[in-house]
Every structure is written in C-alpha cells, then in structure tokens.
Amino acid sequence: MSDARGRLVVLISGRGRNLQAFIEATRDGRVRADIALVISNRADAAGLALAQAAGIPTQVISHRDYPTREAFDAQMVAAIGPHQPDLVLLAGFMRILTAGFIRAFEGRLLNIHPSLLPRYPGLDTHAKALANGDAEHGASVHLVTEELDGGPVLLQASLSVHADDDAQTLAARVMDEIETRIYPQVVAWMLGDELRFVDGQRRFRGRSLQQPLTARDLDPDFR
Ligand code: GRF
C-alpha cells in the first residue's frame, strides 16, 4: 500500500462527520488516497450530500430491500468489490455485519467506536460513561472482527468528562476533538504501511504494540 494513492470505500448511515474528516484529509494530502465510493444503508443520511458535494460517487443500499442480513451484506460486497479498496471504513454505519462481509474485507475493515473499548460496546456510549461517573471518555479505532466492537484496537484517545456534560455535549466533544482526528490518522498510517496487523500482532513502525496507540502518538498534522 505504500507508493500509489490508496482507495477507500466509506460506509455511513447518518451525518457523516467522520466521512467529512476523510474528505478533508484526502484533499489536503494528509491521507494519500481517494474515496472511491460512499455507501449508505439509509437514503436520508445527511452524509450523502457531503459526499456528493465533494464529487464522490454514492450508492444507497437499503437493508429494508433485502430479506436477510446475509442478502444485504452480499449486495454490499458486490458493490464494494469492483473498487478494490485498500481499506473499507465504517463511519457511523449502524448495521451489524455478517461473518461473510467481515471475511470479504478482513484485515482492511476498520470502525470507529465512541468509547474507550473494551468499555461500552454497542449503543449509547456517552450516556453510559456519564451514568458510571467516568472521569475519562473517548473513542477507539479498531479492526473489525466478528465480535461486535471487539476487534483489536489500534488507536484510542480520551478526554476529561466535565461536571456539566450531558450526553450531547460529551458526544460533540468526542467527535470534534477525537474522532475526526484519530480515524484519518489510522488510515494514513495503514496506507503507508506504518501500522499493520500481522499474524495477530499490531505493529507500528516496526515494533509490536502491546497496547493501543494513543493521542500522544498522533503525527503533528492530526493533532
Ligand atoms: C460516531 O460517533 C461514530 O463513532 C459512531 O457513530 C457516530 C457517527 O457520526 N459509530 P457521523 O455519521 O460520522 O457524523
């Protein structure tokens, strides 16, 4: 993946703020790649307009049009395959994927999850962090495996929870201060082969990682 420009496919269901971060990072050269296709499972996803405004092809594949998860995922694999992406990026894609889909893109399928995994897999992560009185909250970029939000975490960054935070203010800070920085950073590293997953090991710049990377490891361009 090192010299040529990479190819990305991004899957969304909603607002597309992570997608917008990829659009900006591919435009300004921090991520040396083109977004070949944006797929949404919802026709009303606001992120579709962000892609269109950037001149990126979009496709809506509604899960409601398919009788089973397997049939929906098979259609997605068929739509993504011809683009031969280096990475398939789940960016607020709100469907649970089948083993068949995950296997089709194993090792090049990434997700961002708004919590400090393994804390709070699943939904409503910000409310859960508040309800538990956590002092720190954050987001994690991980490889996708068949365990929901359970694949190897590559990079995780945190912020302090404020006394007056509610789920909305906390979610907004995690998005603005963390998600939109760490996800493009991981993509840049993986496309440059600086960050790899080999033989079940996370490797960063030639060394094996025992823990996820953190905000301290971010390149200056992504801080
Ligand atoms: C983000 O918080 C992401 O971590 C989660 O869903 C949200 C998507 O937001 N999985 P957006 O569509 O990128 O704006």
Side-chain angles (χ1 to χ4, degrees):
M1 287 194 226
S2 46
D3 287 335
R5 270 179 94 72
R7 268 190 308 280
L8 308 174
V9 169
V10 184
L11 272 52
I12 64 169
S13 300
R15 283 172 65 178
R17 289 160 296 176
N18 281 295
L19 167 65
Q20 183 63 30
F22 292 131
I23 291 172
E24 288 166 18
T26 52
R27 267 197 192 141
D28 67 24
R30 284 176 299 147
V31 169
R32 284 165 47 83
D34 297 306
I35 303 173
L37 177 67
V38 171
I39 297 177
S40 173
N41 66 311
R42 297 180 54 115
D44 61 355
L48 287 168
L50 299 174
Q52 284 151 9
I56 298 166
T58 60
Q59 202 174 331
V60 175
I61 303 177
S62 171
H63 55 280
R64 299 218 175 95
D65 293 343
Y66 297 86
T68 61
R69 281 190 196 277
E70 284 73 16
F72 170 66
D73 280 10
Q75 183 57 42
M76 298 235 296
V77 171
I80 295 168
H83 295 279
Q84 298 190 298
D86 296 292
L87 294 172
V88 176
L89 306 171
L90 306 179
F93 184 69
M94 301 303 284
R95 300 293 300 170
I96 292 173
L97 295 163
T98 58
F101 183 95
I102 292 166
R103 269 190 239 116
F105 302 109
E106 193 135 44
R108 48 193 178 123
L109 181 59
L110 297 177
N111 183 41
I112 188 158
H113 184 73
S115 81
L116 298 171
L117 289 171
R119 286 192 168 195
Y120 316 132
L123 298 174
D124 300 325
T125 56
H126 309 293
K128 287 174 185 163
L130 289 171
N132 281 328
D134 292 356
E136 301 261 292
H137 183 49
S140 308
V141 178
H142 66 95
L143 283 159
V144 176
T145 62
E146 290 177 39
E147 187 187 345
L148 179 65
D149 299 323
V153 176
L154 300 171
L155 171 58
Q156 182 166 79
S158 60
L159 48 67
S160 299
V161 177
H162 297 167
D164 59 353
D165 265 326
D166 59 27
Q168 284 71 35
T169 60
L170 190 53
R173 290 213 323 289
V174 168
M175 175 59 69
D176 294 344
E177 295 174 25
I178 296 181
E179 295 194 46
T180 53
R181 295 178 186 173
I182 68 174
Y183 208 179
Q185 170 73 90
V186 168
V187 170
W189 280 333
M190 287 196 73
L191 290 172
D193 278 341
E194 290 179 87
L195 179 59
R196 301 164 64 210
F197 190 68
V198 204
D199 298 332
Q201 288 276 332
R202 298 165 290 194
R203 296 189 67 82
F204 183 58
R205 295 177 178 155
R207 68 190 163 92
S208 171
L209 293 177
Q210 304 311 317
Q211 300 291 331
L213 295 159
T214 72
R216 283 191 299 280
D217 298 298
L218 294 176
D219 292 337
D221 283 354
F222 291 91
R223 286 188 187 164

PDB file of all heavy atoms in Angstrom, residues 12-20 90-94 111-115 126 139 171 174-175 179, ligand 1:
ATOM      1  N   ILE A  12     -21.671   4.658   5.593  1.00  0.00           N
ATOM      2  CA  ILE A  12     -22.296   5.566   6.551  1.00  0.00           C
ATOM      3  C   ILE A  12     -23.779   5.210   6.735  1.00  0.00           C
ATOM      4  O   ILE A  12     -24.361   4.485   5.925  1.00  0.00           O
ATOM      5  CB  ILE A  12     -22.198   7.047   6.088  1.00  0.00           C
ATOM      6  CG1 ILE A  12     -22.978   7.256   4.792  1.00  0.00           C
ATOM      7  CG2 ILE A  12     -20.739   7.463   5.914  1.00  0.00           C
ATOM      8  CD1 ILE A  12     -23.155   8.724   4.408  1.00  0.00           C
ATOM      9  N   SER A  13     -24.350   5.773   7.796  1.00  0.00           N
ATOM     10  CA  SER A  13     -25.806   5.714   7.982  1.00  0.00           C
ATOM     11  C   SER A  13     -26.377   7.073   8.354  1.00  0.00           C
ATOM     12  O   SER A  13     -27.594   7.228   8.406  1.00  0.00           O
ATOM     13  CB  SER A  13     -26.179   4.741   9.113  1.00  0.00           C
ATOM     14  OG  SER A  13     -25.728   3.441   8.855  1.00  0.00           O
ATOM     15  N   GLY A  14     -25.515   8.040   8.699  1.00  0.00           N
ATOM     16  CA  GLY A  14     -26.034   9.264   9.306  1.00  0.00           C
ATOM     17  C   GLY A  14     -25.376  10.532   8.833  1.00  0.00           C
ATOM     18  O   GLY A  14     -25.211  10.766   7.640  1.00  0.00           O
ATOM     19  N   ARG A  15     -24.938  11.329   9.807  1.00  0.00           N
ATOM     20  CA  ARG A  15     -24.493  12.695   9.495  1.00  0.00           C
ATOM     21  C   ARG A  15     -23.216  12.769   8.692  1.00  0.00           C
ATOM     22  O   ARG A  15     -23.001  13.712   7.936  1.00  0.00           O
ATOM     23  CB  ARG A  15     -24.302  13.477  10.800  1.00  0.00           C
ATOM     24  CG  ARG A  15     -25.619  13.908  11.384  1.00  0.00           C
ATOM     25  CD  ARG A  15     -25.443  14.502  12.754  1.00  0.00           C
ATOM     26  NE  ARG A  15     -24.678  15.732  12.731  1.00  0.00           N
ATOM     27  CZ  ARG A  15     -24.427  16.459  13.819  1.00  0.00           C
ATOM     28  NH1 ARG A  15     -24.891  16.060  14.980  1.00  0.00           N
ATOM     29  NH2 ARG A  15     -23.728  17.570  13.737  1.00  0.00           N
ATOM     30  N   GLY A  16     -22.317  11.833   8.904  1.00  0.00           N
ATOM     31  CA  GLY A  16     -21.123  11.802   8.077  1.00  0.00           C
ATOM     32  C   GLY A  16     -20.019  12.735   8.518  1.00  0.00           C
ATOM     33  O   GLY A  16     -19.215  13.174   7.704  1.00  0.00           O
ATOM     34  N   ARG A  17     -19.910  13.018   9.818  1.00  0.00           N
ATOM     35  CA  ARG A  17     -18.812  13.877  10.263  1.00  0.00           C
ATOM     36  C   ARG A  17     -17.471  13.168  10.130  1.00  0.00           C
ATOM     37  O   ARG A  17     -16.469  13.791   9.770  1.00  0.00           O
ATOM     38  CB  ARG A  17     -19.053  14.346  11.701  1.00  0.00           C
ATOM     39  CG  ARG A  17     -20.207  15.362  11.771  1.00  0.00           C
ATOM     40  CD  ARG A  17     -20.760  15.468  13.160  1.00  0.00           C
ATOM     41  NE  ARG A  17     -21.353  14.200  13.549  1.00  0.00           N
ATOM     42  CZ  ARG A  17     -21.857  13.927  14.735  1.00  0.00           C
ATOM     43  NH1 ARG A  17     -21.806  14.844  15.678  1.00  0.00           N
ATOM     44  NH2 ARG A  17     -22.400  12.759  14.986  1.00  0.00           N
ATOM     45  N   ASN A  18     -17.438  11.866  10.367  1.00  0.00           N
ATOM     46  CA  ASN A  18     -16.189  11.131  10.122  1.00  0.00           C
ATOM     47  C   ASN A  18     -15.888  11.085   8.631  1.00  0.00           C
ATOM     48  O   ASN A  18     -14.735  11.229   8.224  1.00  0.00           O
ATOM     49  CB  ASN A  18     -16.271   9.729  10.721  1.00  0.00           C
ATOM     50  CG  ASN A  18     -16.027   9.737  12.225  1.00  0.00           C
ATOM     51  OD1 ASN A  18     -14.937  10.065  12.665  1.00  0.00           O
ATOM     52  ND2 ASN A  18     -17.057   9.423  12.999  1.00  0.00           N
ATOM     53  N   LEU A  19     -16.919  10.895   7.825  1.00  0.00           N
ATOM     54  CA  LEU A  19     -16.725  10.947   6.368  1.00  0.00           C
ATOM     55  C   LEU A  19     -16.134  12.289   5.962  1.00  0.00           C
ATOM     56  O   LEU A  19     -15.184  12.353   5.167  1.00  0.00           O
ATOM     57  CB  LEU A  19     -18.071  10.722   5.654  1.00  0.00           C
ATOM     58  CG  LEU A  19     -18.076  11.057   4.168  1.00  0.00           C
ATOM     59  CD1 LEU A  19     -17.155  10.132   3.382  1.00  0.00           C
ATOM     60  CD2 LEU A  19     -19.511  10.995   3.608  1.00  0.00           C
ATOM     61  N   GLN A  20     -16.670  13.370   6.499  1.00  0.00           N
ATOM     62  CA  GLN A  20     -16.166  14.708   6.152  1.00  0.00           C
ATOM     63  C   GLN A  20     -14.691  14.849   6.546  1.00  0.00           C
ATOM     64  O   GLN A  20     -13.908  15.468   5.821  1.00  0.00           O
ATOM     65  CB  GLN A  20     -17.021  15.785   6.839  1.00  0.00           C
ATOM     66  CG  GLN A  20     -16.628  17.214   6.481  1.00  0.00           C
ATOM     67  CD  GLN A  20     -16.807  17.534   4.985  1.00  0.00           C
ATOM     68  OE1 GLN A  20     -17.674  16.971   4.320  1.00  0.00           O
ATOM     69  NE2 GLN A  20     -15.970  18.420   4.470  1.00  0.00           N
ATOM     70  N   LEU A  90     -15.912   1.850   8.188  1.00  0.00           N
ATOM     71  CA  LEU A  90     -17.242   2.020   8.770  1.00  0.00           C
ATOM     72  C   LEU A  90     -17.217   3.340   9.523  1.00  0.00           C
ATOM     73  O   LEU A  90     -16.397   3.535  10.417  1.00  0.00           O
ATOM     74  CB  LEU A  90     -17.556   0.871   9.722  1.00  0.00           C
ATOM     75  CG  LEU A  90     -17.410  -0.541   9.131  1.00  0.00           C
ATOM     76  CD1 LEU A  90     -17.721  -1.587  10.200  1.00  0.00           C
ATOM     77  CD2 LEU A  90     -18.299  -0.726   7.920  1.00  0.00           C
ATOM     78  N   ALA A  91     -18.092   4.251   9.137  1.00  0.00           N
ATOM     79  CA  ALA A  91     -18.062   5.598   9.717  1.00  0.00           C
ATOM     80  C   ALA A  91     -19.489   5.959  10.116  1.00  0.00           C
ATOM     81  O   ALA A  91     -20.219   6.618   9.384  1.00  0.00           O
ATOM     82  CB  ALA A  91     -17.506   6.594   8.700  1.00  0.00           C
ATOM     83  N   GLY A  92     -19.873   5.465  11.300  1.00  0.00           N
ATOM     84  CA  GLY A  92     -21.253   5.672  11.724  1.00  0.00           C
ATOM     85  C   GLY A  92     -22.206   4.794  10.926  1.00  0.00           C
ATOM     86  O   GLY A  92     -23.345   5.170  10.683  1.00  0.00           O
ATOM     87  N   PHE A  93     -21.739   3.615  10.545  1.00  0.00           N
ATOM     88  CA  PHE A  93     -22.579   2.664   9.804  1.00  0.00           C
ATOM     89  C   PHE A  93     -23.301   1.793  10.821  1.00  0.00           C
ATOM     90  O   PHE A  93     -22.661   1.058  11.577  1.00  0.00           O
ATOM     91  CB  PHE A  93     -21.717   1.814   8.868  1.00  0.00           C
ATOM     92  CG  PHE A  93     -22.515   0.881   8.001  1.00  0.00           C
ATOM     93  CD1 PHE A  93     -23.316   1.385   6.986  1.00  0.00           C
ATOM     94  CD2 PHE A  93     -22.468  -0.482   8.199  1.00  0.00           C
ATOM     95  CE1 PHE A  93     -24.055   0.531   6.192  1.00  0.00           C
ATOM     96  CE2 PHE A  93     -23.204  -1.347   7.406  1.00  0.00           C
ATOM     97  CZ  PHE A  93     -23.999  -0.834   6.397  1.00  0.00           C
ATOM     98  N   MET A  94     -24.621   1.918  10.875  1.00  0.00           N
ATOM     99  CA  MET A  94     -25.364   1.393  12.014  1.00  0.00           C
ATOM    100  C   MET A  94     -26.016   0.036  11.737  1.00  0.00           C
ATOM    101  O   MET A  94     -27.154  -0.211  12.140  1.00  0.00           O
ATOM    102  CB  MET A  94     -26.422   2.405  12.460  1.00  0.00           C
ATOM    103  CG  MET A  94     -25.845   3.754  12.849  1.00  0.00           C
ATOM    104  SD  MET A  94     -24.612   3.652  14.166  1.00  0.00           S
ATOM    105  CE  MET A  94     -25.699   3.392  15.560  1.00  0.00           C
ATOM    106  N   ASN A 111     -13.354   0.313  11.954  1.00  0.00           N
ATOM    107  CA  ASN A 111     -14.509   1.006  12.530  1.00  0.00           C
ATOM    108  C   ASN A 111     -14.017   2.004  13.576  1.00  0.00           C
ATOM    109  O   ASN A 111     -12.950   1.824  14.163  1.00  0.00           O
ATOM    110  CB  ASN A 111     -15.452  -0.003  13.205  1.00  0.00           C
ATOM    111  CG  ASN A 111     -16.707   0.648  13.746  1.00  0.00           C
ATOM    112  OD1 ASN A 111     -17.293   1.525  13.107  1.00  0.00           O
ATOM    113  ND2 ASN A 111     -17.135   0.247  14.937  1.00  0.00           N
ATOM    114  N   ILE A 112     -14.812   3.038  13.788  1.00  0.00           N
ATOM    115  CA  ILE A 112     -14.564   3.905  14.939  1.00  0.00           C
ATOM    116  C   ILE A 112     -15.732   3.752  15.886  1.00  0.00           C
ATOM    117  O   ILE A 112     -16.891   3.726  15.466  1.00  0.00           O
ATOM    118  CB  ILE A 112     -14.329   5.375  14.547  1.00  0.00           C
ATOM    119  CG1 ILE A 112     -13.881   6.173  15.776  1.00  0.00           C
ATOM    120  CG2 ILE A 112     -15.565   5.988  13.882  1.00  0.00           C
ATOM    121  CD1 ILE A 112     -13.138   7.440  15.443  1.00  0.00           C
ATOM    122  N   HIS A 113     -15.406   3.640  17.165  1.00  0.00           N
ATOM    123  CA  HIS A 113     -16.451   3.447  18.176  1.00  0.00           C
ATOM    124  C   HIS A 113     -16.274   4.507  19.259  1.00  0.00           C
ATOM    125  O   HIS A 113     -15.160   4.694  19.757  1.00  0.00           O
ATOM    126  CB  HIS A 113     -16.352   2.047  18.779  1.00  0.00           C
ATOM    127  CG  HIS A 113     -17.464   1.772  19.738  1.00  0.00           C
ATOM    128  ND1 HIS A 113     -18.757   1.541  19.321  1.00  0.00           N
ATOM    129  CD2 HIS A 113     -17.477   1.736  21.082  1.00  0.00           C
ATOM    130  CE1 HIS A 113     -19.526   1.370  20.387  1.00  0.00           C
ATOM    131  NE2 HIS A 113     -18.777   1.481  21.462  1.00  0.00           N
ATOM    132  N   PRO A 114     -17.365   5.201  19.621  1.00  0.00           N
ATOM    133  CA  PRO A 114     -17.221   6.310  20.560  1.00  0.00           C
ATOM    134  C   PRO A 114     -17.173   5.877  22.025  1.00  0.00           C
ATOM    135  O   PRO A 114     -18.027   6.241  22.825  1.00  0.00           O
ATOM    136  CB  PRO A 114     -18.446   7.178  20.256  1.00  0.00           C
ATOM    137  CG  PRO A 114     -19.462   6.209  19.783  1.00  0.00           C
ATOM    138  CD  PRO A 114     -18.718   5.098  19.084  1.00  0.00           C
ATOM    139  N   SER A 115     -16.157   5.110  22.363  1.00  0.00           N
ATOM    140  CA  SER A 115     -15.895   4.782  23.772  1.00  0.00           C
ATOM    141  C   SER A 115     -14.462   4.300  23.878  1.00  0.00           C
ATOM    142  O   SER A 115     -13.817   4.016  22.866  1.00  0.00           O
ATOM    143  CB  SER A 115     -16.833   3.683  24.283  1.00  0.00           C
ATOM    144  OG  SER A 115     -16.362   2.413  23.883  1.00  0.00           O
ATOM    145  N   HIS A 126     -22.080   7.444  25.359  1.00  0.00           N
ATOM    146  CA  HIS A 126     -21.829   8.680  26.116  1.00  0.00           C
ATOM    147  C   HIS A 126     -22.678   8.693  27.389  1.00  0.00           C
ATOM    148  O   HIS A 126     -22.193   9.037  28.471  1.00  0.00           O
ATOM    149  CB  HIS A 126     -22.123   9.895  25.233  1.00  0.00           C
ATOM    150  CG  HIS A 126     -21.425   9.824  23.904  1.00  0.00           C
ATOM    151  ND1 HIS A 126     -20.055   9.894  23.785  1.00  0.00           N
ATOM    152  CD2 HIS A 126     -21.892   9.630  22.650  1.00  0.00           C
ATOM    153  CE1 HIS A 126     -19.720   9.771  22.504  1.00  0.00           C
ATOM    154  NE2 HIS A 126     -20.823   9.608  21.791  1.00  0.00           N
ATOM    155  N   ALA A 139     -12.728   7.671  22.278  1.00  0.00           N
ATOM    156  CA  ALA A 139     -13.099   6.905  21.089  1.00  0.00           C
ATOM    157  C   ALA A 139     -11.949   5.986  20.715  1.00  0.00           C
ATOM    158  O   ALA A 139     -10.797   6.225  21.091  1.00  0.00           O
ATOM    159  CB  ALA A 139     -13.433   7.840  19.938  1.00  0.00           C
ATOM    160  N   ALA A 171     -20.774  13.868  23.535  1.00  0.00           N
ATOM    161  CA  ALA A 171     -20.667  13.289  22.181  1.00  0.00           C
ATOM    162  C   ALA A 171     -20.037  14.280  21.217  1.00  0.00           C
ATOM    163  O   ALA A 171     -19.198  13.907  20.390  1.00  0.00           O
ATOM    164  CB  ALA A 171     -22.048  12.873  21.685  1.00  0.00           C
ATOM    165  N   VAL A 174     -16.282  14.496  21.895  1.00  0.00           N
ATOM    166  CA  VAL A 174     -15.589  13.289  21.433  1.00  0.00           C
ATOM    167  C   VAL A 174     -15.474  13.311  19.907  1.00  0.00           C
ATOM    168  O   VAL A 174     -14.433  12.982  19.342  1.00  0.00           O
ATOM    169  CB  VAL A 174     -16.315  12.018  21.930  1.00  0.00           C
ATOM    170  CG1 VAL A 174     -15.786  10.773  21.233  1.00  0.00           C
ATOM    171  CG2 VAL A 174     -16.162  11.879  23.451  1.00  0.00           C
ATOM    172  N   MET A 175     -16.528  13.751  19.234  1.00  0.00           N
ATOM    173  CA  MET A 175     -16.481  13.826  17.771  1.00  0.00           C
ATOM    174  C   MET A 175     -15.446  14.848  17.301  1.00  0.00           C
ATOM    175  O   MET A 175     -14.562  14.549  16.495  1.00  0.00           O
ATOM    176  CB  MET A 175     -17.874  14.195  17.237  1.00  0.00           C
ATOM    177  CG  MET A 175     -17.951  14.415  15.749  1.00  0.00           C
ATOM    178  SD  MET A 175     -17.461  12.991  14.741  1.00  0.00           S
ATOM    179  CE  MET A 175     -18.785  11.829  15.044  1.00  0.00           C
ATOM    180  N   GLU A 179     -12.650  11.893  17.413  1.00  0.00           N
ATOM    181  CA  GLU A 179     -12.960  11.003  16.283  1.00  0.00           C
ATOM    182  C   GLU A 179     -12.399  11.513  14.967  1.00  0.00           C
ATOM    183  O   GLU A 179     -11.770  10.781  14.209  1.00  0.00           O
ATOM    184  CB  GLU A 179     -14.476  10.806  16.165  1.00  0.00           C
ATOM    185  CG  GLU A 179     -15.071  10.082  17.352  1.00  0.00           C
ATOM    186  CD  GLU A 179     -16.484   9.594  17.093  1.00  0.00           C
ATOM    187  OE1 GLU A 179     -16.741   9.020  16.026  1.00  0.00           O
ATOM    188  OE2 GLU A 179     -17.344   9.798  17.974  1.00  0.00           O
TER     189      GLU A 179
HETATM  190  C1  GRF B   1     -19.836   8.453  15.609  1.00  0.00           C
HETATM  191  O1  GRF B   1     -19.885   8.795  16.962  1.00  0.00           O
HETATM  192  C2  GRF B   1     -19.236   7.098  15.433  1.00  0.00           C
HETATM  193  O2  GRF B   1     -18.201   6.825  16.330  1.00  0.00           O
HETATM  194  C3  GRF B   1     -20.415   6.228  15.728  1.00  0.00           C
HETATM  195  O3  GRF B   1     -21.489   6.879  15.098  1.00  0.00           O
HETATM  196  C4  GRF B   1     -21.233   8.254  15.022  1.00  0.00           C
HETATM  197  C5  GRF B   1     -21.298   8.650  13.582  1.00  0.00           C
HETATM  198  O4  GRF B   1     -21.313  10.015  13.346  1.00  0.00           O
HETATM  199  N1  GRF B   1     -20.173   4.877  15.347  1.00  0.00           N
HETATM  200  P1  GRF B   1     -21.092  10.572  11.875  1.00  0.00           P
HETATM  201  O5  GRF B   1     -22.103   9.926  10.952  1.00  0.00           O
HETATM  202  O6  GRF B   1     -19.668  10.265  11.445  1.00  0.00           O
HETATM  203  O7  GRF B   1     -21.345  12.040  11.964  1.00  0.00           O
END
